Amino acid sequence: MNDISEFEARITAALERIGRAVAVAEERAEATSGGIASEAMEAELGRMADALEAEKTANSQLEERVRAIHDRQEHHVAALEEEVETLRRQLMDHDREMQKLRLVNTQLRENNAGLRAANAQGLGDAALIDAGMRTELEALKVAREADVTEMDAILTELRAVMARVANGAAPTEAPAPSELSNEEV
């Protein structure tokens, strides 16, 4: 029996050692899962959360910039469309005045040809002279209207340039259509 109690003592001692080893192993497992490794994971998670927040901030700033650029571009396009419409209207006005001028000049040439023919025959036709004077007066009126139309175009372009200068934009280098001389047109 002595052997049995000795075996029991040895088995009990072995079970205690196994119990202590299991307890130490469990403590180490807890320390590993909740200890240093968890702190490293938490630090990494914190760093990643900070990086995510920084990216969100950068993204929102970029979205705001894109919105501002889009708004500015829409405003610029609207201004350009308005300017194109103004220039188109001025061109149509100028074209209309030029058509009138051509018509009056044609009438003036025809009247002058009639006057030359009458003078060649030695006949002074008062009606031809009167018609010639009226046509010449009409030509002067149409030329003045053409000049006024061209001056309006120049003033409109100057206002646009002054508005761009007032808004801080540099004036364009290319001459505006109203700045072209008659030889260039």
Side-chain angles (χ1 to χ4, degrees), residues 57-70:
T57 303
N59 190 27
S60 67
Q61 289 173 349
L62 287 175
E63 286 175 355
E64 185 61 34
R65 286 181 189 165
V66 167
R67 241 186 322 260
I69 289 170
H70 183 69

Side-chain angles (χ1 to χ4, degrees), residues 119-140:
N119 281 338
Q121 295 175 359
L123 304 172
D125 190 357
L128 280 176
I129 293 172
D130 187 44
M133 293 302 278
R134 272 189 262 120
T135 306
E136 189 172 347
L137 182 61
E138 182 67 23
L140 289 172

Side-chain angles (χ1 to χ4, degrees), residues 26-45:
E26 286 177 353
E27 287 178 9
R28 285 187 183 165
E30 286 179 14
T32 304
S33 66
I36 298 171
S38 283
E39 290 175 9
M41 280 192 230
E42 287 179 19
E44 181 67 17
L45 284 175

Side-chain angles (χ1 to χ4, degrees), residues 3 5 18 25 31 41-42 47 57 91 99 103 116 124 147 150 159 174 177:
D3 289 333
S5 39
I18 291 172
M41 280 192 230
E42 287 179 19
R47 188 186 63 75
T57 303
L91 182 62
Q99 292 295 333
L103 178 65
R116 279 193 295 277
D147 289 344
E150 188 172 352
R159 286 184 190 113

Side-chain angles (χ1 to χ4, degrees), residues 5-23:
S5 39
E6 200 178 291
F7 281 125
E8 278 183 359
R10 286 177 63 187
I11 290 175
T12 305
L15 286 175
E16 287 178 8
R17 282 193 310 262
I18 291 172
R20 282 191 304 252
V22 168

